[in-house]
Amino acid sequence: MAKVLVVDDSATVRNEVSTFLTGNGIQCVVANDGQDGLKKVQSDSDIKLVISDVNMPVMDGLTMVEKIRGELNNSALNVIMLTTESNPKMKERGKSAGVKGWIVKPFNGDAVVGSIKKLLG
Amino acid sequence: MTEESVITSKALVYEADESALEFLKEFFLKNNIQGIRERKNEINKVLDVNIDLGAVFLSESKDEFGYSGFDICKKIHEVRPELPIVIRRLEEHKNEPLPEEINQAVVAQYTIDDLESLKEFLQVNLFNRHYPAPLVHEVLEITSNALQFNIKNISVENSAPYLVKDMLIFGEVFSLIPLESSWCRGYMTIQSPSNDFEKYIESDRTHIPRNEYSGSRGVNFLLNEITNLVWGGIKSKFFTETDDQASIGSAIQVPIMVNHVHKFISFGSQEPQLTFSYVIKDELGILPDFKILQKLIFNLTWSPDLMKISDQIISDSLDSGELEFFD
């Protein structure tokens, strides 16, 4: 079954997003930072979508995406950034790394659940 | 961007003369000062309750007990030396030097109707910086949203931001995070009573997993989450230029001094702290209201004229929570 990986250093956000998605019939796994997220992507082939924060300790979200594309050679995995960042330059970096979309926090599940389901196929 | 916002401050007042008091009331009204009157010789109590003062206005006039501003001046300066004190002199004594211990404690003197001296006192000691209105408005909005995101079924009320010279910590728990850009460098702190936060966690009114975080650790965690979200919002909206992170990282720092016993924190600067007060109200009417304070201390760099906020960012903030697809 297709899973969504939620990557955020904030347990509140991880809990909020994964609880909402699970309640909408979407299976979730969570990671605390970019490095943790990278490991989960590598070890779980059921992950079909990543929803990730940008600013995180250890490894930030955009570096994680660049490593998914580069080190893991995975260009098919959809990634959405969920962040307080709305800086156009940051978005441009995300776009270049192959990020599919951008959500400015706080998370509004009802506004995005349809799109998430579409991305999961 | 130099538009200013209405910023206030709280001042402790000891004034025995009714006409001088009326003069001060009018002056305070015109200059956004909230006066807190001390008149029962209970200076310790007044100081204990009011830990977010901006200035002290004393008077040489004696009250019916023969008690004057001179009597409390030394005491205030001793326990809160960071508070600027101005003293009103009697017309007949205005050319006489102040007693040495009083002279050391006060930063200015005035006589009744001497508006210029009072204005200069405020300008030099409190209102010496301008704070761009977009920054003030966005901080209020970002913080209110962060509180409501982290605590369920609450409303958040805030008052006008105010300047504080006191260096005392409100409540039992506080967070601290640097604010660094090319136009400002300093810190944000959010300060709160612990018990009130704990009640909301125990009542399952937050998103944090109660089995993992309970008691004081839960409060620490929740405040950390709120602070992180507020910091992210401020960074996203105002630190938009290509900041040279390497030069920020190697820039000058000063030690932060904390005295736990006296709930004192110094950022090595005498500049007033821009303070926001929020009252959290339970919309379900079950849990008690409580107050938190947020302080922005730009102790290292403050050049608001260089602050930039783009139209793109303003419009982005209107769409928060929605998914923007890239082509």
Side-chain angles (χ1 to χ4, degrees), chain A residues 7 9 32-39 52-68 71:
Chain A
V7 188
D9 59 324
N32 301 334
D33 54 53
Q35 195 171 74
D36 190 20
L38 201 61
K39 279 184 198 161
S52 176
D53 188 14
V54 172
N55 295 311
M56 291 181 287
V58 187
M59 185 190 291
D60 69 82
L62 290 176
T63 302
M64 178 191 72
V65 179
E66 286 160 355
K67 285 182 183 288
I68 289 172
E71 287 178 15

Side-chain angles (χ1 to χ4, degrees), chain B residues 41 66 101 114 157 194 210 248 265 320:
Chain B
N41 199 4
E101 58 185 13
D114 180 8
E157 288 182 4
S194 184
R210 277 167 67 201
I248 288 173
I265 182 165
S320 63

Side-chain angles (χ1 to χ4, degrees), chain A residues 9-12 15-16 80 84-89 91 95 99-106 108 112 115, chain B residues 149-150 207-209 221 225 228-229 231-233 235-236 239-240 242 312-313 316 320-326:
Chain A
D9 59 324
S10 159
T12 302
N15 198 26
E16 169 87 355
I80 294 171
T84 53
E85 289 283 356
S86 54
N87 185 336
K89 282 177 185 159
K91 284 185 181 177
K95 217 183 276 188
V99 165
K100 193 82 178 170
W102 201 274
I103 304 171
V104 177
K105 284 179 182 176
N108 177 358
V112 298
S115 305
Chain B
F149 177 74
N150 279 279
H207 299 288
I208 67 172
F221 182 84
E225 294 280 300
N228 194 31
L229 202 52
W231 175 82
K235 176 180 179 291
S236 167
F239 302 168
T240 57
T242 314
Q312 174 68 36
I313 287 165
D316 278 351
S320 63
E322 293 180 12
L323 176 59
E324 176 194 348
F325 273 113
F326 296 152

Side-chain angles (χ1 to χ4, degrees), chain B residues 137-181:
Chain B
H137 295 155
E138 288 292 335
V139 167
L140 282 169
E141 185 163 335
I142 289 165
T143 309
S144 297
N145 288 343
L147 288 165
Q148 286 178 308
F149 177 74
N150 279 279
I151 309 172
K152 301 173 200 170
N153 300 118
I154 56 158
S155 60
V156 179
E157 288 182 4
N158 52 65
S159 52
Y162 57 106
L163 294 170
V164 170
K165 291 284 282 191
D166 265 320
M167 297 180 182
L168 298 176
I169 298 165
F170 171 71
E172 294 82 35
V173 57
F174 78 96
S175 63
L176 188 63
I177 190 165
L179 296 176
E180 305 245 315
S181 79

Side-chain angles (χ1 to χ4, degrees), chain B residues 47-86:
Chain B
L47 288 173
D48 284 349
V49 172
N50 296 284
I51 60 166
D52 51 359
L53 296 171
V56 178
F57 288 72
L58 301 180
S59 154
E60 197 179 357
S61 293
K62 290 184 178 178
D63 63 16
E64 65 264 40
F65 308 108
Y67 180 70
S68 85
F70 284 178
D71 298 307
I72 57 175
C73 183
K74 193 179 164 202
K75 171 73 181 172
I76 293 172
H77 186 63
E78 200 173 279
V79 295
R80 308 267 271 271
E82 50 277 2
L83 287 176
I85 301 174
V86 61

